[in-house]
Amino acid sequence: MRVEIWTDIACPWCYVGKARFDKALAAFPHRDQVEVVHRSFELDPHRAKGDVTPVLTMLTRKYGMSQAQAQAGEDDLGAQAAAEGLEYRTRDRDHGSTFDMHRLLHLAKEHGRQGELLDALYRANFAEERSVFSEGDERLVELAVAAGLDAAAVRAVLADPAAYADEVRADEQEAAQLGATGVPFFVLDRTYGVSGAQPAEVFAQALTRAWGDRAPLTLLQDASGGAEACGPDGCAVPRD
């Protein structure tokens, strides 16, 4: 079974939602047969690289709230994250473009390190003092290498704005086609969708239902019963 998850590194509910989903998946009896694929979704796709602002400033401008309201929201998110065992800095975080991070996540996918890089980016953005936005490409290189990627390959992607750009845009277009207007957005076997950072119990129910509703394989063969094949006992050998 495949679970696809559309997220953005700048999305605090994606950070919390991933922890809740991971908790449900860890307890799922068939977890070893579940493939998890992370898809790209930018909350701020038109923000230019280098355009970095404090999170509170971004929130007040985008949602028309006061500084006090924005800070109260961050404090609440910090409490929600702590309940899932996550660290969350409720003060002095910043916000910027995540496009390069999504491109690196596609590189990481090719090398089987996508989950590790996503976790590293989340921790860096939400829990660590150093910024993933204002310190330049070398900060991303550092995080990607720690997640198991080759530094030269990472630098090559960051130096080429076209590298994996089509893959990021394709993920975002697919999200729109599936009806996703926000993240996190979970799609189980292209049959069920779960929107938002739901409780772990909801994810557990969704996994169980999607697993149980998988369509059985329909075998197509000719009237004679099928062609010759090989199996554990050997291969069918034509006899005169």
Side-chain angles (χ1 to χ4, degrees), residues 5 15 128 169 179 189 204 212:
I5 311 174
Y15 179 49
E128 298 177 6
R169 299 306 181 211
D189 255 3

Side-chain angles (χ1 to χ4, degrees), residues 22-34:
D22 287 348
K23 186 181 298 183
L25 182 61
F28 186 57
H30 309 288
R31 59 186 175 276
D32 293 337
Q33 299 175 66
V34 177

Side-chain angles (χ1 to χ4, degrees), residues 6-187:
W6 274 263
T7 58
D8 191 14
I9 298 90
C11 165
W13 288 118
C14 295
Y15 179 49
V16 173
K18 183 178 185 298
R20 293 173 178 173
F21 174 79
D22 287 348
K23 186 181 298 183
L25 182 61
F28 186 57
H30 309 288
R31 59 186 175 276
D32 293 337
Q33 299 175 66
V34 177
E35 176 192 12
V36 178
V37 178
H38 297 283
R39 302 289 192 190
S40 300
F41 190 110
E42 296 169 275
L43 291 173
D44 203 351
H46 303 297
R47 182 175 289 271
K49 182 175 181 177
D51 181 5
V52 180
T53 59
V55 165
L56 293 188
T57 300
M58 180 273 294
L59 291 172
T60 57
R61 290 175 179 173
K62 187 172 184 177
Y63 300 108
M65 59 177 64
S66 67
Q67 284 271 334
Q69 288 171 324
Q71 187 58 67
E74 283 292 284
D75 291 340
D76 179 67
L77 278 163
Q80 299 258 12
E84 303 302 331
L86 300 172
E87 293 183 51
Y88 190 99
R89 293 179 63 234
T90 61
R91 302 289 191 280
D92 302 323
R93 288 195 307 108
D94 56 13
H95 175 80
S97 171
T98 57
F99 184 58
D100 283 350
M101 300 178 205
H102 285 294
R103 295 195 300 121
L104 290 179
L105 284 166
H106 278 278
L107 170 68
K109 179 184 175 184
E110 290 187 353
H111 295 276
R113 308 299 294 178
Q114 192 182 43
E116 289 80 0
L117 180 57
L118 183 61
D119 284 340
L121 292 170
Y122 275 147
R123 283 194 304 271
N125 184 38
F126 292 109
E128 298 177 6
E129 291 188 12
R130 295 177 59 194
S131 172
V132 294
F133 300 110
S134 63
E135 290 196 20
D137 287 351
E138 283 306 303
R139 175 65 168 143
L140 297 183
V141 173
E142 174 189 320
L143 293 168
V145 169
L149 296 180
D150 176 72
V154 173
R155 290 192 178 97
V157 169
L158 292 173
D160 179 7
Y164 299 101
D166 288 345
E167 287 82 349
V168 174
R169 299 306 181 211
D171 277 356
E172 293 173 338
Q173 290 170 7
E174 195 166 16
Q177 292 168 359
L178 290 170
T181 57
V183 284
F185 187 71
F186 302 76
V187 177

